[in-house]
Amino acid sequence: SAASVMTFDADDVLFSDNIKLNTDNSILSFGANDEVFFSHQHNEGIRLQATSAATNNVVNVLQLKHNTSATKAAGIGTAISFETVNDDGMTLECVSTDVGSSSEDYDFVVKLMAAGNSVAEKFRVTSAGNLSCAGQFAVNGATPAAAPDWTVTNKTGTSRALDADGSLADIGDRLAQLIDDLISIGILQ
């Protein structure tokens, strides 16, 4: 009946088929005090929620972990895939670039679908904080009263001033040219 409650005294319960929570706003909770739970949001999706006593720090509400039974190598990582219908539209990846003991490095990678092709890397932030972009940077908006002077220094120590005259389009054009220069000499990918 609708009010029935089943209690299991064993540590584990094994189902050999599907489990269905058959009502809108169903909740699947975890912990002795139900402090972490998934809830069904009617006609929208799933919400993961956690309650803690933290007031001024970040809490890992969701942790995605990929283990391997083999020896890890550069390129191993964890991703989230965003799909519509049957298409992967975007993936967010945390991918290793160095797996040496005490020297592990991971990059954050955004891959997007374009023109119906498979998702491909469009944006990367390296473990050193460097940014690479597969497309062009676009700057849009009104002209500010005064724009800052920008200087960009590449890996070889060469600097190039982006002395803006107050035009955002001018800054964008100069930045795009600098990025193209850095790509052509192999500093950026």
Side-chain angles (χ1 to χ4, degrees), residues 28-48:
L28 179 61
S29 60
F30 301 88
N33 298 313
D34 299 330
E35 65 272 11
V36 177
F37 62 88
F38 284 104
S39 63
H40 169 253
Q41 304 299 303
H42 180 65
N43 292 336
E44 291 181 17
I46 296 290
R47 174 186 294 157
L48 172 62

Side-chain angles (χ1 to χ4, degrees), residues 2-189:
S4 296
V5 174
M6 294 175 57
T7 302
F8 298 93
D9 291 328
D11 291 334
D12 299 313
V13 176
L14 174 66
F15 295 94
S16 60
D17 207 356
N18 300 327
I19 298 173
K20 181 177 182 181
L21 302 176
N22 201 32
T23 59
D24 286 338
N25 304 316
S26 295
I27 294 175
L28 179 61
S29 60
F30 301 88
N33 298 313
D34 299 330
E35 65 272 11
V36 177
F37 62 88
F38 284 104
S39 63
H40 169 253
Q41 304 299 303
H42 180 65
N43 292 336
E44 291 181 17
I46 296 290
R47 174 186 294 157
L48 172 62
Q49 184 170 326
T51 302
S52 75
T55 59
N56 64 347
N57 59 310
V58 176
V59 174
N60 286 334
V61 174
L62 177 65
Q63 185 178 57
L64 304 176
K65 185 173 183 175
H66 170 201
N67 287 324
T68 179
S69 58
T71 303
K72 69 180 180 177
I76 192 171
T78 302
I80 300 172
S81 176
F82 295 84
E83 298 181 8
T84 56
V85 188
N86 294 319
D87 295 323
D88 286 337
M90 177 176 77
T91 61
L92 302 177
E93 299 180 355
C94 176
V95 61
S96 65
T97 57
D98 184 347
V99 294
S101 180
S102 299
S103 66
E104 296 91 343
D105 292 322
Y106 285 82
D107 291 356
F108 174 69
V109 178
V110 176
K111 294 182 177 180
L112 297 167
M113 175 188 274
N117 295 312
S118 296
V119 293
E121 183 173 326
K122 302 296 182 187
F123 180 86
R124 179 182 290 250
V125 178
T126 69
S127 59
N130 297 322
L131 170 68
S132 63
C133 179
Q136 294 182 352
F137 287 95
V139 180
N140 298 308
T143 302
D149 290 342
W150 292 2
T151 302
V152 178
T153 305
N154 65 22
K155 291 180 183 178
T156 63
T158 303
S159 295
R160 181 169 173 179
L162 300 175
D163 51 347
D165 63 1
S167 166
L168 284 177
D170 184 53
I171 293 171
D173 292 341
R174 290 172 185 255
L175 183 57
Q177 181 60 51
L178 176 62
I179 291 169
D180 288 343
D181 292 348
L182 294 176
I183 291 170
S184 70
I185 61 173
I187 302 299
L188 290 177
Q189 299 178 5

